[in-house]
């Protein structure tokens, strides 16, 4: 049996190919008899622009190489490994903790820490290390990379139990608290110093791997000899420095890369058909991609989108099948629910979901989709007092480009006019934006595209600061509906300051007291009791209703968790037939998946 290296490329390789909520990466190279693991470059890296490797593995600094190259959880681990595609408790796997228990109405969370865990330097991990990790996040907000909610008191320790105390009930935030906060050694990160400000050249963690060597061209990891979970199946993890994702596809084709998180054009022809026995793909729908509307006063210069009927009409006028097939090469499914939940979440809450209430095809007129019985662009805008474009619905109808008011839906001479702001280097989103622009122009709205030429940083900064009109953006995903709904609708938690900055969600700056009330009810509902379950279902129904009727964002696609893998060297991958974990090579699920794999006998 050959315990060789394994080659992995993390989710979302090179922005020139795909845009998603994960990170991106490049490939590795190795001999045909072995391979290397390669979690990779951040999503926001431009295609054909190499990542600068600096020896920094600081888990508290999102700008560090560990976060940027998506390899943090090779060394540092969470308390629970959580499956983002499974809203049930069966998707929660005890990792550094063995159990948890809420008390005091969800304000207190008692975490029982495993006693058999060592750091890779041989020292024992204790409850004090866990408490110190959360104390740092409480003391230094800049270090709170995982979004742990505000703690009202310092963590306490009693034996192996760490108790966290929060200002508000936190039944819904286990994803942040248990699933994506990585435990660090207290001696390496003392409580008096902001951990996000330093550089960590030689990381010490509990993960299955530890740093072996570093260069500006490649980082190598070796198995942790003290790993509590047993000996990792892989003998080495290598993270190479590549300029773009072309090498990843070539390495997959040459059978020297085992696992990739990138979109491969024509993946069946270019990968699977080369060796159907070993080459596989499973692009699970892990989040909901939306068209975000800027709802600030002035709307960034757009006209019409402050009107809820216009936002409803825009959503109804998008042909999502075209976006799926052309913009996303068929890899991301068309969204069919205006409530915003992804398919896994919809399946978990069938009685609350706005399922199939969006036409898969455009509903510009009643004749566009003969079987469609719901509202259309026409019925929605006419009911709102808009006059139809000249020759509407006839062969002589002209596109609305803003030059002739009569060619556009208008109310008192004012037309619907906005741009879609995304980086052209997000090739799939850019194609989607162009398709939406063309569709809506033919349906009487002056919609254009606006290239964020500065790439991810410029685009995301503009989203945070409300300096856009509309934009396509991936969803927050998460294991339960709360994660995405809170990201879209929680103005109080996501937006601060004057002028308002929404750096962690609610980029539309949608501020609704009804949404805040429902989110608070959801947060305070104990999912282990019948009363709590009923309250959760009610809150989800309310929040989906707000999404559907107020349309702060318009769901357009179900975002793919990119996953291409080979069984030539290893079996046991998460797949459509064995969906035990979100399949992307990404933090925080890397250690869970890597420990499930089985090497193929040589």
């Amino acid at each position: 049996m050959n315990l060789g290296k394994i080659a992995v490329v993390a989710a979302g390789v090179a922005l020139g190919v795909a845009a998603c909520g994960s990170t991106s990466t490049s490939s590795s190279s190795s001999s045909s008899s072995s391979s290397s693991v390669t979690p990779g470059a951040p999503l926001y890296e431009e295609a054909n622009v190499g990542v600068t490797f600096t020896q920094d593995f600081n888990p508290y600094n999102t700008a560090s190489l560990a976060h940027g190259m998506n390899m943090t959880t090779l060394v540092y681990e969470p308390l629970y490994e959580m499956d983002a595609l499974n809203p049930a408790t069966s998707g929660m796997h005890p990792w550094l903790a063995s159990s948890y228990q809420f008390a005091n109405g969800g304000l207190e969370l008692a975490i029982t820490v495993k006693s058999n865990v060592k750091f890779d330097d041989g020292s024992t991990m204790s409850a004090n290390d866990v408490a110190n990790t959360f104390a740092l996040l409480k003391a230094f907000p800049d270090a709170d990379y995982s979004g742990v909610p505000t703690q009202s008191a310092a963590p306490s320790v009693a034996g192996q139990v760490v108790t966290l105390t929060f200002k508000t009930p936190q039944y819904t935030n286990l994803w942040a608290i248990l699933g994506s906060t990585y435990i660090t050694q207290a001696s390496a990160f003392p409580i008096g110093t902001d951990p996000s400000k330093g550089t960590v050249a030689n990381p010490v963690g509990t993960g299955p791997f530890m740093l072996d060597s570093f260069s500006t061209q490649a980082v190598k990891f070796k198995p942790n000899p003290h790993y509590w979970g047993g000996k990792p199946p892989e003998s080495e993890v290598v993270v190479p420095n590549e300029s773009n994702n072309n090498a990843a596809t070539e390495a997959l084709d040459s059978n020297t890369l085992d696992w990739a998180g990138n979109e491969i054009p024509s993946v069946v022809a270019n990968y699977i058909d080369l060796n159907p026995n070993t080459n596989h793909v499973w692009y699970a729908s892990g989040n909901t991609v939306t068209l975000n509307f800027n709802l600030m006063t002035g709307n960034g210069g757009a006209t019409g989108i402050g009107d809820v009927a216009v936002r409803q009409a825009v959503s109804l006028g998008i042909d999502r099948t075209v976006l799926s097939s052309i913009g996303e090469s068929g890899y991301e499914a068309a969204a069919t629910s205006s409530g915003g939940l992804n398919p896994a979440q919809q399946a978990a809450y069938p009685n609350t979901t706005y399922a199939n209430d969006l036409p898969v095809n455009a509903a510009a007129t009643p004749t566009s989709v003969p079987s469609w019985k719901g509202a259309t662009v026409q019925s929605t805008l006419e009911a709102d007092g808009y006059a139809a474009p000249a020759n509407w619905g006839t062969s002589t109808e002209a596109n609305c480009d803003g030059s002739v008011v009569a060619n556009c839906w208008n109310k008192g001479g004012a037309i619907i006019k906005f741009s879609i702001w995304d980086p052209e280097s997000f090739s799939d989103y850019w194609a989607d934006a162009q398709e939406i622009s063309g569709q809506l122009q033919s349906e009487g709205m002056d919609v254009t595209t606006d290239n964020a030429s500065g790439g991810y940083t410029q685009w995301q900064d503009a989203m945070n600061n409300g300096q856009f009109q509309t934009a396509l953006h991936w969803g927050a995903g998460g294991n339960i509906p709360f994660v995405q709904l809170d990201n879209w609708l929680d103005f109080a938690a996501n937006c601060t300051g004057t002028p308002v900055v929404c750096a962690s969600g609610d980029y539309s700056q949608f501020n609704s007291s009804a949404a805040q009330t429902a989110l608070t009810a959801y947060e305070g509902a104990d999912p282990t009791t019948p009363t709590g379950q009923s309250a959760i279902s009610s809150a989800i129904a309310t929040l989906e209703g707000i999404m559907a009727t107020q349309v702060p964002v318009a769901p357009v696609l179900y975002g793919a968790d990119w996953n291409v893998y080979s069984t030539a060297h290893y079996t046991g991958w998460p797949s459509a037939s064995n969906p035990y974990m979100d399949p992307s090579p990404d933090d925080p699920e890397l250690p869970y998946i890597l420990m499930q794999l089985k090497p193929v006998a040589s």
Side-chain angles (χ1 to χ4, degrees), residues 303-397:
T303 57
I305 62 173
D307 185 339
V308 65
V310 170
R311 299 196 298 274
Q312 292 172 346
V314 169
S315 182
L316 288 165
I318 296 173
D319 187 336
R320 292 162 171 82
T321 295
V322 171
L323 304 188
S324 174
S325 62
I326 295 180
E328 303 297 335
S329 304
Y331 302 150
E332 296 192 332
T336 59
S337 169
S338 63
L341 304 192
N342 65 36
Q345 294 165 350
Q346 289 176 16
Y349 295 92
N351 297 325
T352 63
T353 303
Y354 280 68
N356 302 314
D357 66 324
L358 289 175
V360 174
N361 298 311
T365 70
T367 58
S368 294
V369 185
S371 62
W372 182 248
K373 304 302 181 184
T376 64
V377 170
Q378 180 176 344
S379 66
T380 301
L381 291 178
E382 286 183 339
D384 195 47
Y386 275 84
N391 302 315
W392 172 253
T394 71
S395 59
T396 58
E397 176 191 343

Side-chain angles (χ1 to χ4, degrees), residues 81-372:
E81 281 285 349
M82 299 171 68
D83 181 3
L85 302 178
N86 185 355
T89 55
S90 59
M92 298 183 62
H93 307 281
W95 211 246
L96 297 184
S98 59
S99 64
Y100 67 90
Q101 182 69 48
F102 279 107
N104 194 15
L107 296 176
E108 295 180 359
L109 177 63
I111 303 165
T112 302
V113 180
K114 288 182 176 178
S115 59
N116 63 334
V117 178
K118 291 182 180 293
F119 289 103
D120 57 46
D121 65 357
S123 64
T124 299
M125 187 201 80
S126 72
N128 289 325
D129 296 295
V130 175
N132 186 78
T133 298
F134 285 96
L136 289 169
L137 301 182
K138 178 181 185 296
F140 302 101
D142 287 349
D144 188 7
Y145 59 91
S146 57
V148 170
T150 302
Q151 300 174 65
S152 60
S156 64
V157 178
Q160 288 299 109
V161 177
V162 176
T163 299
L164 306 179
T165 305
F166 301 99
K167 287 188 175 181
T168 57
Q170 295 303 327
Y171 295 113
T172 56
N173 276 311
L174 293 178
W175 177 265
I177 301 165
L178 301 180
S180 51
T181 295
Y182 311 134
I183 305 307
T184 57
Q185 194 176 40
S187 60
F189 294 94
I191 187 60
T193 304
D194 185 345
S196 69
K197 307 305 181 187
T199 296
V200 178
N202 296 292
V204 175
T206 64
F209 295 93
M210 58 190 295
L211 182 65
D212 187 17
S213 65
F214 173 88
S215 77
T216 58
Q217 296 305 308
V219 184
K220 295 184 178 182
F221 295 87
K222 61 185 178 182
N224 171 6
H226 306 288
Y227 190 52
W228 62 272
K231 184 178 181 180
E234 305 82 18
S235 64
E236 185 177 41
V237 172
V238 180
V239 182
N241 189 354
E242 301 283 357
S243 62
N244 56 53
N245 70 330
N246 292 332
T249 303
E250 293 172 1
L252 282 163
D253 290 346
S254 64
N255 204 30
T256 60
L257 183 63
D258 298 287
W259 191 19
N262 62 313
E263 177 190 345
I264 299 175
S266 303
V267 67
V268 174
N270 290 331
Y271 179 61
I272 294 176
D273 284 350
L274 298 181
N275 193 337
N277 292 326
T278 61
N279 297 356
H280 310 278
V281 61
W282 178 37
Y283 291 155
S285 296
N287 69 91
T288 303
V289 179
T290 58
L291 180 68
N292 292 48
F293 299 94
N294 181 353
L295 302 182
M296 288 181 63
T297 302
N299 303 111
T303 57
I305 62 173
D307 185 339
V308 65
V310 170
R311 299 196 298 274
Q312 292 172 346
V314 169
S315 182
L316 288 165
I318 296 173
D319 187 336
R320 292 162 171 82
T321 295
V322 171
L323 304 188
S324 174
S325 62
I326 295 180
E328 303 297 335
S329 304
Y331 302 150
E332 296 192 332
T336 59
S337 169
S338 63
L341 304 192
N342 65 36
Q345 294 165 350
Q346 289 176 16
Y349 295 92
N351 297 325
T352 63
T353 303
Y354 280 68
N356 302 314
D357 66 324
L358 289 175
V360 174
N361 298 311
T365 70
T367 58
S368 294
V369 185
S371 62
W372 182 248

